[in-house]
Amino acid sequence: MDQTNTKSSSTNKTGYCLPTISNRSAMGDFKRVKSAKDLLVSSSSEDGSKRKKNPQVVCFGELLIDFVPTVSGVSLAEAPGFKKAPGGAPANVAVCVSKLGGSAGFLGKVGDDEFGRMLANILKENNVDNTGMRFDKHARTALAFVTLRSDGEREFMFFRHPSADMLLTEAELDTDLIKKSTIFHYGSISLIEDPCKSAHLAAMKIAKKAGCILSYDPNLRLPLWPSPEAARKGIMSIWDEADVIKISEDEIEFLTRGDDPYDDKVVLTKLFHPNLKLLIVTEGPNGCRYYTKDFHGKVGGVKVKCVDTTGAGDAFVGGLLLNLAANTQLFKDEKKLRDALRFANVCGAITVTERGAIPSLPSKEAVHKKLEESESK
């Protein structure tokens, strides 16, 4: 299996054996299961009553295991040990929405291996509808070793060529899950090569026809692409289809070939397309900027001690989509939009205070508490 190294940019702010194995909770003991399908949510499952029938937010793409060093500021070779953490941007968003009290579903593929089954179980335990998950008996679940520098930023080494997430086919899509959703969210990693690329495009088409809001976070991971130009072309190939887009400063600079990411004119003339309802630019601890057809502005961030930025951008997206699912006209009311973005900023801020993505995603109670604390200062 090939491996790929990449350094995360400092402004990512957002933030990768076939025997019968065991099922365990995120923190609990193992128990025997007959097959991966036993880990999928069903209406007759023991905890089926905990989830809503139709997920408001359905996320499409990769689900993997991040291995994070137990200490910061070291290379992979120097790390004394690693903490295993579930990850993958679209899956992170789904779990975040659910942990915040919303309803979410996930579509993607993992290996029919121990890691894949663990991930399916983690989604299930977080009340994410995982019936759209598929298991590949011939490819393994993707792995990503993530080094943490002393400033909390990351470097990645991916093991995914080919990993199961890359092999999802159009025929394996759970079309009913897509059609029932309010928001269909996705990234760009699933666009890198077929068959997953074709499945991604087909899923977008289904969502669009069903009247879903299309939400796009490019989540640039440059070394996974054949070349920078291929990445730029691939990311922009579906740009005009999205209703909501979230990008970072570095992604603006990359997509515009070096233009000033803080220049509103650059954003509005080069990235804001005619059908776009909302464009968000995240600035990590400095908050975010927002652009709609009628207005634009900035919402400040929340100061916290940064431990690991992994999943911060996904937490931000989860917080935003939770509010957008509840009010699909959010982009038309600037005051309500600013409140939603303040909520999303806090979601991202809380996530950077712990290591790993899914384990550090906040609850609604934690977000409201942090909001109250920040407003009282």
Side-chain angles (χ1 to χ4, degrees), residues 158-335:
F158 293 97
F159 288 78
R160 61 182 305 274
H161 194 71
S163 53
D165 61 290
M166 302 165 68
L167 303 176
L168 182 71
T169 66
E170 182 178 345
E172 293 175 307
L173 291 174
D174 187 331
T175 58
D176 286 340
L177 195 63
I178 299 171
K179 292 174 182 178
K180 292 175 182 177
S181 66
T182 303
I183 299 172
F184 183 68
H185 176 74
Y186 48 88
S188 69
I189 290 176
S190 47
L191 293 170
I192 295 175
E193 63 181 78
D194 277 322
C196 190
K197 178 181 178 180
S198 294
H200 183 146
L201 297 177
M204 283 178 58
K205 187 175 181 180
I206 292 166
K208 195 76 162 180
K209 187 175 181 180
C212 304
I213 294 173
L214 268 59
S215 167
Y216 185 24
D217 176 5
N219 194 35
L220 177 65
R221 293 290 179 263
L222 195 53
L224 293 179
W225 292 84
S227 68
E229 188 54 37
R232 194 176 290 111
K233 183 178 179 181
I235 289 171
M236 296 305 295
S237 68
I238 60 169
W239 194 264
D240 291 351
E241 298 295 320
D243 299 300
V244 177
I245 297 175
K246 194 281 301 182
I247 51 175
S248 68
E249 305 120 293
D250 280 1
E251 288 165 346
I252 293 176
E253 195 170 359
F254 174 76
L255 294 174
T256 62
R257 301 177 186 273
D259 286 354
D260 182 1
Y262 301 98
D263 187 336
D264 289 339
K265 186 177 180 180
V266 168
V267 175
L268 289 169
T269 59
K270 293 196 173 183
L271 297 175
F272 197 96
H273 65 76
N275 298 319
L276 192 58
K277 294 179 173 66
L278 177 63
L279 176 65
I280 302 294
V281 180
T282 51
E283 299 181 357
N286 296 320
C288 65
R289 283 174 280 151
Y290 58 90
Y291 302 83
T292 73
K293 288 182 171 67
D294 302 315
F295 50 78
H296 65 271
K298 180 170 181 175
V299 176
V302 179
K303 292 184 178 180
V304 294
K305 183 179 180 181
C306 181
V307 174
D308 174 18
T309 60
T310 304
D314 305 326
F316 175 93
V317 173
L320 174 60
L321 296 187
L322 175 82
N323 284 277
L324 183 59
N327 178 7
T328 57
Q329 299 301 306
L330 188 65
F331 54 88
K332 293 184 178 180
D333 187 323
E334 188 167 13
K335 182 182 182 304

Side-chain angles (χ1 to χ4, degrees), residues 56-67:
Q56 294 171 306
V57 180
V58 168
C59 302
F60 174 94
E62 67 276 8
L63 175 58
L64 49 83
I65 302 289
D66 288 327
F67 286 90

